Amino acid sequence: MFAAFAVRNFRFQWGADLLTSWAFEMETIILGWYIFTETGSVFLLTLFASLQFFGTLIAPVFGLLGDRAGYRNVLCLMRVVYALLAGVLAVLSVLGALSPVVVLVVAGLAGMVRPSDIALRNVLIGEILPHERLMGAIGLARITTDSARTAGALVGAGAVHAVGMGSAYGLVVAFYLSSAGLMFGVRLARGARLASGTSPWRDMADAARSVRDAPPQLAAMLLAFLVNFTAYPFTLGLLPYLAREIYKTGETGLGYLSASVGLGAMTASLLLSKLGSAVWPARMMLIFSIVWHLLVIALGWAPHFTAGSAFLVLNGAASMLCLLPMAVLLLRGAPPALRGRIMGIRAQAVYGLPLGLLLSGPLIEHVGFRATATIYGLLGTVCTLMILMRWRTHLWPAGAASNRG
């Protein structure tokens, strides 16, 4: 299960990714609660959550930069940018000059960069480790994000309660800077890189053509957009609404709800790390997409905080049992020279999340949280079945290339 830690580069990357993920989650909890308590608007809450993924449209550009300059170098630069933006919020909070408008502007700037982070992490793992060890390594790598949903959320909520927003944000800045330092510890032999003089448009077109001509990859991209649109809003941007309006709890309760998602996701990541190459990636991502959407409906009808927390644990587990096999399918099927750009295209699928969030806000105000969760869950289930029927011969048979270990 932990064999990837025997590789020095993986250990450094894992530590750097862990600190970044914790900082991400702390920021999301701190700022999401700030926006909602200051404005009381579910629309502004969903707008804030959406802005964090604004950069999905340009994610392939970061993939291209990685293909040209090296994925480690691009990740280091991105994390320095996170630290600078977090530092601005920390200073403004200490000076008493923070406002919801400033938070939304900074969230938009960070959102230009953040969506590409996880995609480039996975590509770097693909450079560090051979294909047969990808499932186990990506399972371990995902724990960095899942543990943040569990512990990082509680640290963020607790820090604000104990020492105030400004001091809590100082910790976020320290995490980002430490992450950039650890990433410099990754040492890779310089492989073949794109020449800087080649046309960026042609390079992007090559990656898009590769995805179009590979049915398993095209299906995975569509499924990635779908789950971001219909499932992820209920375990990410809408949690502050669920905590305050449905369960009548404060920031500590919000931390526990977020931690519930992380606990389920971390358990599933460890399971996949243990199973390794025994997993059938395409079949598993389809099955657990359906399970995940049914659990969204169950969450919508959960009668109280305890039941909601339990369903969030199950939602977190289902999300990883869907998304991690999907990442392995894409990395294994991508030509090495195109990995950065293809995973950048995969990051564009995250754009489904802000769209789903922005639609959910008015929908909740008109028909309620339960009805919205039911609509989203049923839509996601039906669309997953349509993807399965369209590409069944490429995705379902155990002998299909997309299901080989």
Side-chain angles (χ1 to χ4, degrees):
M1 182 185 299
F2 302 105
F5 283 118
V7 179
R8 176 189 176 278
N9 282 333
F10 182 80
R11 293 196 301 272
F12 272 88
Q13 183 186 348
W14 193 90
D17 293 347
L18 178 69
L19 291 171
T20 298
S21 296
W22 276 46
F24 280 172
E25 192 62 31
M26 291 170 67
E27 280 198 288
T28 300
I29 291 291
I30 293 169
L31 297 182
W33 187 257
Y34 173 81
I35 288 288
F36 197 45
T37 54
E38 287 290 312
T39 67
S41 169
V42 67
F43 171 75
L44 288 179
L45 174 64
T46 55
L47 176 61
F48 161 72
S50 302
L51 286 172
Q52 297 179 75
F53 303 95
F54 188 64
T56 52
L57 290 176
I58 61 169
V61 175
F62 286 95
L64 176 60
L65 288 173
D67 288 337
R68 286 184 168 180
Y71 310 114
R72 187 210 68 167
N73 298 334
V74 175
L75 281 168
C76 285
L77 179 61
M78 291 164 70
R79 289 164 187 186
V80 170
V81 171
Y82 303 150
L84 291 173
L85 292 174
V88 169
L89 292 179
V91 171
L92 290 177
S93 179
V94 171
L95 295 177
L98 196 63
S99 70
V101 172
V102 171
V103 169
L104 291 173
V105 170
V106 174
L109 293 173
M112 296 295 293
V113 182
R114 186 179 292 188
S116 302
D117 199 279
I118 291 179
L120 290 182
R121 296 182 198 184
N122 288 339
V123 179
L124 185 57
I125 292 171
E127 281 203 337
I128 291 172
L129 295 166
H131 278 200
E132 62 271 14
R133 298 175 70 177
L134 273 181
M135 181 62 78
I138 288 181
L140 289 173
R142 184 66 197 194
I143 293 172
T144 62
T145 302
D146 303 336
S147 67
R149 296 302 304 274
T150 306
L154 295 175
V155 170
V160 172
H161 182 74
V163 299
M165 187 171 173
S167 298
Y169 243 88
L171 184 60
V172 171
V173 174
F175 276 20
Y176 282 138
L177 292 177
S178 299
S179 170
L182 281 174
M183 189 57 72
F184 275 111
V186 177
R187 296 282 183 263
L188 291 173
R190 184 173 177 83
R193 298 288 180 202
L194 284 172
S196 58
T198 59
S199 167
W201 298 111
R202 187 178 67 187
D203 294 337
M204 295 295 186
D206 289 343
R209 194 177 304 112
S210 176
V211 171
R212 182 200 64 191
D213 295 340
Q217 293 207 343
L218 180 58
M221 294 291 187
L222 292 175
L223 188 64
F225 180 87
L226 174 68
V227 297
N228 276 282
F229 182 81
T230 53
Y232 251 138
F234 295 88
T235 55
L236 287 175
L238 289 174
L239 280 186
Y241 180 87
L242 186 64
R244 182 174 174 179
E245 299 299 316
I246 305 298
Y247 299 138
K248 310 300 181 184
T249 185
E251 65 261 31
T252 302
L254 172 60
Y256 280 116
L257 291 177
S258 184
S260 298
V261 180
L263 177 62
M266 188 161 53
T267 302
S269 298
L270 284 169
L271 175 62
L272 288 175
S273 180
K274 176 66 174 177
L275 294 174
S277 59
V279 170
W280 293 343
R283 187 179 290 189
M284 180 169 276
M285 75 178 185
L286 289 165
I287 290 172
F288 281 97
S289 173
I290 294 173
V291 171
W292 189 3
H293 285 103
L294 295 177
L295 287 169
V296 165
I297 299 174
L299 174 65
W301 290 86
H304 47 71
F305 183 89
T306 302
S309 297
F311 281 121
L312 283 171
V313 171
L314 296 175
N315 270 267
S319 68
M320 288 306 100
L321 293 172
C322 172
L323 295 176
L324 293 186
M326 180 191 296
V328 171
L329 184 157
L330 289 170
L331 282 172
R332 286 177 178 169
L338 297 175
R339 277 182 185 162
R341 281 160 285 168
I342 287 177
M343 294 308 288
I345 294 173
R346 161 63 183 89
Q348 283 191 307
V350 179
Y351 197 64
L353 176 57
L355 291 177
L357 282 167
L358 290 174
L359 179 62
S360 69
L363 200 56
I364 288 171
E365 291 178 344
H366 284 86
V367 302
F369 186 81
R370 287 181 172 178
T372 301
T374 303
I375 292 169
Y376 274 53
L378 290 176
L379 176 64
T381 300
V382 170
C383 290
T384 300
L385 292 172
M386 292 174 63
I387 290 172
L388 171 58
M389 288 187 289
R390 173 64 180 83
W391 288 288
R392 186 182 186 284
T393 57
H394 297 281
L395 300 174
W396 194 256
S402 59
N403 283 316
R404 292 174 190 162

